[in-house]
Amino acid sequence: MPILEAAGHHVLAIDLLGCGYSDKPLVDSMNYTQRNQGELVSCAIASLGLTDVTLVGHSSGGVVAAAAAAQVDPSRISGLVLISPGFYTPMLFSLFVWPVNVVLARMLSTVETRVAMFNKSHVDKAVVTPELIADFTQPTHTPGATDAVGLMMLAREAPYPDLISGLAVPVLLVWGEEDTVHLPSAVEKIRMAASCVMQTVLVPRCGHYVQHESPDLLAKAIVKFCRSTLTPA
């Protein structure tokens, strides 16, 4: 974020509903689908009166960003940055039923599980520090967090690739070449499905979390992309 701010950009980081330190409604009727999360992001953009917005989303957040771009007033959006988005990942959550979802949600809140997951999804294990692990696990111990994750696992919606063909804003794709969570082979599928993909950056010696392993490279790629898409002041 410092590189983006130094380039003159106003940066907002959003904790999605049920995630981080946002509210975590636990009623059974709560819609925790990625498309609904995208609608909430689009509402936030409109409520804050933001324009010339470049939406950035990683992994499942990339799906949310695409869903938001599809639902917000097009005049407010200048571009979309998708970092290893999960459009083509098998929707394993659709196989989860109670109480399997609750057990898995509790496992995700433990330091041991998070360390194991991050060691598998990062090439450079040195970035998997206790501080990084704490950033991810501490919010999972806020009231309602585990139950909210359990509800997310029960969410059902249409396949995510449907979102790609509807994209109508310039897109920057960023992918770690050694990503084992969302395979880089999806890059070509997305480029074929969405004619609006303007730039693609494949990051060598990098896994699923480009923002952890190559933060400067990622920030500079976003700055360069924004220069080509934002309306001149």
Side-chain angles (χ1 to χ4, degrees):
M1 289 176 66
I3 291 178
L4 299 176
E5 292 170 338
H9 298 293
H10 181 200
V11 183
L12 297 177
I14 297 178
D15 280 344
L16 298 175
L17 193 70
C19 303
Y21 293 100
S22 286
D23 289 345
K24 300 169 178 66
L26 301 180
V27 293
D28 290 339
S29 59
M30 182 58 217
N31 186 348
Y32 275 116
T33 65
Q34 309 286 37
R35 287 176 174 80
N36 190 61
Q37 295 279 24
E39 182 180 0
L40 295 176
V41 172
S42 70
C43 289
I45 291 170
S47 296
L48 293 171
L50 302 178
T51 57
D52 259 353
V53 174
T54 300
L55 282 167
V56 181
H58 168 255
S59 196
S60 60
V63 178
V64 172
Q71 298 177 74
V72 74
D73 180 349
S75 66
R76 295 186 181 276
I77 301 294
S78 295
L80 186 61
V81 179
L82 303 176
I83 309 163
S84 300
F87 293 116
Y88 294 101
T89 300
M91 300 177 72
L92 296 179
F93 283 179
S94 65
L95 303 177
F96 295 159
V97 294
W98 186 91
V100 175
N101 62 314
V102 176
V103 174
L104 290 175
R106 289 174 179 169
M107 288 177 61
L108 289 173
S109 69
T110 67
V111 169
E112 294 78 11
T113 298
R114 184 64 64 172
V115 168
M117 290 173 59
F118 272 19
N119 279 333
K120 289 182 179 179
S121 55
H122 290 74
V123 175
D124 182 5
K125 306 299 189 290
V127 305
V128 184
T129 63
E131 292 76 18
L132 179 66
I133 296 299
D135 285 343
F136 279 80
T137 56
Q138 286 178 357
T140 67
H141 297 287
T142 56
T146 300
D147 292 330
V149 172
L151 286 176
M152 292 177 202
M153 292 182 181
L154 297 181
R156 303 291 184 264
E157 59 184 316
Y160 299 140
D162 293 352
L163 290 169
I164 302 173
S165 58
L167 293 176
V169 296
V171 174
L172 166 64
L173 275 180
V174 182
W175 225 290
E177 286 188 347
E178 299 184 43
D179 189 343
T180 58
V181 178
H182 298 154
L183 300 181
S185 57
V187 169
E188 286 307 311
K189 293 181 181 179
I190 295 173
R191 289 176 62 90
M192 291 178 63
S195 59
C196 54
V197 176
M198 290 180 57
Q199 300 174 28
T200 302
V201 177
L202 294 176
V203 186
R205 299 179 300 281
C206 188
H208 185 58
Y209 291 86
V210 178
Q211 66 270 34
H212 297 164
E213 298 190 81
S214 297
D216 290 353
L217 184 154
L218 173 61
K220 291 174 182 176
I222 294 174
V223 169
K224 179 181 178 181
F225 175 70
C226 288
R227 286 175 182 158
S228 68
T229 59
L230 294 180
T231 304

